[in-house]
Structure formats: structure tokens, C-alpha cells
Amino acid sequence: MEAILILGIIVFLAIVPLFLKDARKIGILNSAGYFAVMVFALHLSLKLLKGTILFYNFFYLDSLSGFFILLTSIISFASSLYSIEYISADIDNNTISKKESRLYYALFNLFTFTMIFATTVNNVGIVWVSIEMTTLVSAFLVGFYGKEESVEAAWKYIIICSLGISLALLGIILLYYTVSTNGGIRSLNWTDMLAVAHKLDPKVLKIAFIFILVGYGTKAGIAPMHTWLPDAHSQALTPISALLSGVLLKTALYAILRFIMIINRPLGPDFSGNLLVFFGIFSLVIAAGFILVQKDIKRLLAYHSVEHIGIILFGLGIGGPLGLYGAMFHMFNHAVTKALMFFGAGNIVKKYKTHDMHLMNGIIESMPFTGFFVIAGAFALAGMPPFSIFFSEIIILISGFMKGSYISSLIYLLVIALIFGAIIYHIIKIVFGKKPDNMSIAKEPLSVKSAFIFLFIFIAFFGITMPAFFDKIINSTVEVLLKGF
């Protein structure tokens, strides 16, 4: 079974630092392992097009699970490639010790393990535990450098996300109450609860879903529960920032989607859809304000995560085949584009030794390779054609108008247009101009270049044409969601 192999490989990679001391060798082995994980994840996603997998009633996988496992494996592979030189440079600069580098790789793999495990299990209680574990493990990676700012960000991350996840637990308890009372079963298995969903008490379900949306929504970075996100993303090690933004936020959305499929059976799509549209638009508006005045490059990208979570929520809330297709496609596009941008920001911060964009200038001159991909990534992130994000944003906009949500669609259009101008303004200011006189020209190592090129292929190619296999994966995911939406 591919899912077992994927989890097994990651466990093996987490153990490797106990026996191998050379950080570079660990990093290369890590990348090789994640390449294998990615291949197995693709095979699993294609296999799930033909049906679901239920293994001892513990593992449950359908196309929705397959999509998230594939997404996680792609970003994890790119982050593992980028980590090789990033961590080696930190050792060379005495920023971290060799012992700490081994700890980094162990935590990196535990982090990805918890995210993938959450999308494979049937029991919603175990999903909750897995998502809580992602917080505990990744908090060490946020505060890894031990600086005052990073430790403060890690504590803020733990406190706010743990509070949020506690609310999600209350929602699960309420759901279990109506499942056992009205459904006549005592089970937290998602498949069992879905089978009796039509019998559940609508009033209890509404309250339960609000707790679940706010709880997991905190982890997903939905405004106004997003306050941990800019600090954590800006202070984490760069490969971890890519994982936090590209994958972790989506893992929390995965949990929300599973609950929506249950509550929509008796309630219909309007209740959850209206809440998603409201929080989506609210997240967009809040993000726009902070993006306009931002001066920290990693916080700028963090607020863009809030924006794109808003776009995804809007698409999910609009619903229907087109809205759901756009939302799932946008999840993928945002993950690959944001990971590339965080890699670019990481290179820039290491070269200029500051996060302050007011102190950066002439990046295309001092770092030609990174500068090119940062400017291309910025246009992609802003939604410029022909990059892939443009098409997912347009699909969501069209679905909004087709569903008759004119006011919210117009707000959506105005806000993403405003943010488009803001990010282009910020990035052009730092990329062009004259580099500092005493600054040498950077030559990025092969593994770093490979990570950039690997991600950019998705951003550029999926904007030009949609490969048939990937179109089938997204359509199959939409079919799963439509059973509940």
C-alpha cells in the first residue's frame, strides 16, 4: 500500500540523523527520500481515481486524501532540496551546530509525517491529534534559531493555535454527541458519521461547525484568527516557512472540508457556504491592508498566505463544480508559488542580512538567478497571466458571478487587483536599482537552483496547459467534495 510506504519512508528519514552525522549527506539522503515519496504519492493519487481505500477501518483514502498527499510531497521535496545548502551554510556561519542540523532534519520529517498522516486516517479524533502534533513539532522549527523574536513567535504560535484547536475539539465533541444520540452509533470514524449524517440534529451541527471552522480556521490562517501566522512564517527557517505556508494551512483546510461533507448532508450547502464566503472576503480585505504597508519581506509573503487562503475559501464557499475546481487548483498553485517566493526571500535575507525591504536594492544585480525567479514569482503570486494562479483566480471569479454572488465577487475582484499592485510595487523596488558597492555577486548552488526550477515548472507549465492526469486528479477531488457540498 502506497500510503504505508510513504509514511514508512518518512519515518526512516526521521531516524537517519541519529546514525549519520554529516549534514550535507543527511540532506542529500532526505531529498532522495522525498523524491521517492513524491513518486509514490503520484501513483497513489492516480490509483485513487478508480476508487477509495479502506484499510482495517483505520486508514481511509479517497481522491481528496490523494490530492493533499501529492501536494505535501511536492512541497516537501522542494524544501528538502533547498535545505541541503541552507542548513550547510548555517553550519559554516556558526549560526547552528552540527548537532542542531541533525535535530532540524529529524523535526523536518516529523513535521511532514504528521501532515500526511492527518490526511490518511479515518478517525476524526486522530486527525485532530495529528494536526495538534503539527503545531508542537513545527513550533520548535519556528523558534529554532533561539533568538528573542523567533522564540516569541514560537510561543505565540503554540498558544494561539492550541487555543484554536481546543475549539475544534469542542466542535468534534458536539458532533459526536449528535452522532451517538441521533445517529445511533458510537464512532468517530468519518465514514461512519457520513453514513448517518442525514439523521443528525441540524441545530447541534450548526454550533459544532462554527467551533470547527474557527478552531481549524485558526490553524489555516483565516482572518481574524491569523495573528500567529506573520510572526511564525517570518521567523521560521526558510524551508519551514515554505512548508507552513504551502502545506500546513491546507492540512487544516482538509479537516474543515471533511466536516463540511458531513454537515451539508442534513443542512444543505448554504450554511457552510455563506460562512466560507464571509471569512474568505474578510481574509482578503484584512490581508490587503497589511500588504500595502509591509516592509518585512517574509511578513509580506505571510500576509499573502492570508490573502490566498481567503481566495480558496471564497471558491469553496461559492461551491459548485467550477468553484470547487478553482479552489482546489488554487490550493496547488498557491503552494508551489509561495514556496518558490519563500526560497527567494530566504536567499535575499541571507545575502542582505536583513528582512527590511527598505534596506534591499539591486537584487537582480547582486543575485541574478534569485532576482529573476523572485520577479517572476511575484508576478505569478499577484495573478499575472500566463502563470497558473491567474487561471485559478479567474475560474473562482467566474464561478462567483455565475452563482449570482455579484457583490462578493466584485469585492473579491477589487481586492486582488489592489494586492496585485502592492506586491509588484514592493518587489520591483527591491529587485531593480544598484546593488550595494561592497556586495559580491552571488552564485546559488545546484541544489538551490534545482528547487527553484522544479517549482517554477509547475507555475509556468500549468498556466499554459493543464496536463490530463492532473486535470483528472482535481476533477476526481471535486467529485468527492460534491457528494457533500
Side-chain angles (χ1 to χ4, degrees), residues 18-270:
L18 292 175
F19 304 100
L20 201 59
K21 295 184 178 179
D22 187 291
R24 190 178 297 276
K25 288 179 181 174
I26 297 172
I28 293 170
L29 186 60
N30 216 42
S31 294
Y34 277 100
F35 182 78
V37 165
M38 190 172 60
V39 171
F40 283 123
L42 178 59
H43 186 263
L44 177 64
S45 298
L46 296 174
K47 186 176 177 181
L48 289 168
L49 295 176
K50 299 173 184 173
T52 59
I53 296 172
L54 186 60
F55 190 67
Y56 286 105
N57 216 22
F58 183 81
F59 290 106
Y60 174 78
L61 296 105
D62 55 18
S63 291
L64 185 63
S65 315
F67 174 84
F68 280 93
I69 294 171
L70 181 61
L71 179 64
T72 307
S73 69
I74 289 171
I75 304 304
S76 299
F77 172 62
S79 295
S80 68
L81 270 178
Y82 186 82
S83 292
I84 298 172
E85 289 300 330
Y86 186 89
I87 294 299
S88 296
D90 274 355
I91 295 172
D92 294 341
N93 298 331
N94 292 320
T95 307
I96 62 172
S97 66
K98 290 182 178 178
K99 188 177 179 181
E100 287 172 324
S101 72
R102 300 204 300 275
L103 176 63
Y104 165 79
Y105 280 112
L107 291 171
F108 179 102
N109 290 303
L110 285 174
F111 184 32
T112 57
F113 177 88
T114 50
M115 288 190 289
I116 290 181
F117 188 70
T119 59
T120 61
V121 290
N122 194 14
N123 188 296
V124 297
I126 298 177
V127 172
W128 182 88
V129 172
S130 300
I131 291 179
E132 175 63 1
M133 285 301 296
T134 64
T135 304
L136 298 177
V137 175
S138 57
F140 286 104
L141 292 162
V142 171
F144 197 78
Y145 285 134
K147 297 176 183 174
E148 184 179 346
E149 299 88 351
S150 59
V151 172
E152 184 181 334
W155 276 111
K156 188 175 180 181
Y157 172 46
I158 289 176
I159 292 169
I160 295 176
C161 285
S162 295
L163 179 62
I165 208 82
S166 300
L167 295 176
L169 181 61
L170 285 175
I172 293 171
I173 292 170
L174 283 171
L175 181 61
Y176 180 75
Y177 166 75
T178 183
V179 165
S180 58
T181 305
N182 306 106
I185 59 169
R186 292 188 175 183
S187 172
L188 278 175
N189 283 343
W190 181 81
T191 48
D192 297 334
M193 292 194 290
L194 188 67
V196 299
H198 60 285
K199 300 178 183 176
L200 305 183
D201 185 334
K203 290 180 182 175
V204 177
L205 280 181
K206 285 182 179 178
I207 299 170
F209 181 65
I210 289 170
F211 276 117
I212 287 164
L213 180 60
V214 173
Y216 283 129
T218 303
K219 188 83 177 182
I222 299 171
M225 296 83 74
H226 67 286
T227 51
W228 63 272
L229 192 150
D231 295 309
H233 286 205
S234 63
Q235 293 301 321
L237 292 88
T238 293
I240 303 306
S241 298
L243 283 171
L244 288 170
S245 180
V247 188
L248 179 65
L249 307 184
K250 280 79 174 183
T251 306
L253 284 180
Y254 168 84
I256 293 172
L257 289 174
R258 287 291 183 196
F259 285 104
I260 289 177
M261 293 171 72
I262 293 173
I263 72 153
N264 277 9
R265 287 255 172 122
L267 295 178
D270 289 347

Side-chain angles (χ1 to χ4, degrees), residues 238-378:
T238 293
I240 303 306
S241 298
L243 283 171
L244 288 170
S245 180
V247 188
L248 179 65
L249 307 184
K250 280 79 174 183
T251 306
L253 284 180
Y254 168 84
I256 293 172
L257 289 174
R258 287 291 183 196
F259 285 104
I260 289 177
M261 293 171 72
I262 293 173
I263 72 153
N264 277 9
R265 287 255 172 122
L267 295 178
D270 289 347
F271 178 72
S272 62
N274 290 337
L275 282 172
L276 293 179
V277 167
F278 169 77
F279 279 109
I281 294 295
F282 190 70
S283 297
L284 273 168
V285 172
I286 292 294
F290 285 100
I291 288 169
L292 284 172
V293 299
Q294 200 50 241
K295 64 178 183 179
D296 182 315
I297 188 168
K298 290 187 80 174
R299 290 179 74 89
L300 174 75
L301 297 179
Y303 279 110
H304 268 284
S305 295
V306 178
E307 175 213 354
H308 286 277
I309 286 295
I311 292 172
I312 294 165
L313 284 185
F314 183 70
L316 293 172
I318 291 296
L322 196 60
L324 294 176
Y325 187 97
M328 300 309 293
F329 189 28
H330 198 77
M331 274 194 208
F332 182 86
N333 293 336
H334 172 246
V336 292
T337 309
K338 185 55 69 63
L340 181 139
M341 287 299 288
F342 266 118
F343 293 164
N347 284 0
I348 294 167
V349 168
K350 281 210 167 187
K351 182 74 175 174
Y352 285 74
K353 302 186 189 312
T354 178
H355 286 218
D356 191 339
M357 289 187 288
H358 294 163
L359 302 176
M360 298 170 183
N361 207 21
I363 290 168
I364 196 73
E365 191 179 349
S366 62
M367 312 175 75
F369 181 87
T370 297
F372 167 78
F373 280 100
V374 165
I375 192 72

Side-chain angles (χ1 to χ4, degrees), residues 284-293 300 304 307 382 393 410-426:
L284 273 168
V285 172
I286 292 294
F290 285 100
I291 288 169
L292 284 172
V293 299
L300 174 75
H304 268 284
E307 175 213 354
E393 286 184 349
L410 280 174
I411 296 172
Y412 166 92
L413 181 61
L414 288 172
V415 175
I416 61 173
L418 181 66
I419 292 174
F420 178 97
I423 187 169
I424 297 303
Y425 169 76
H426 285 305

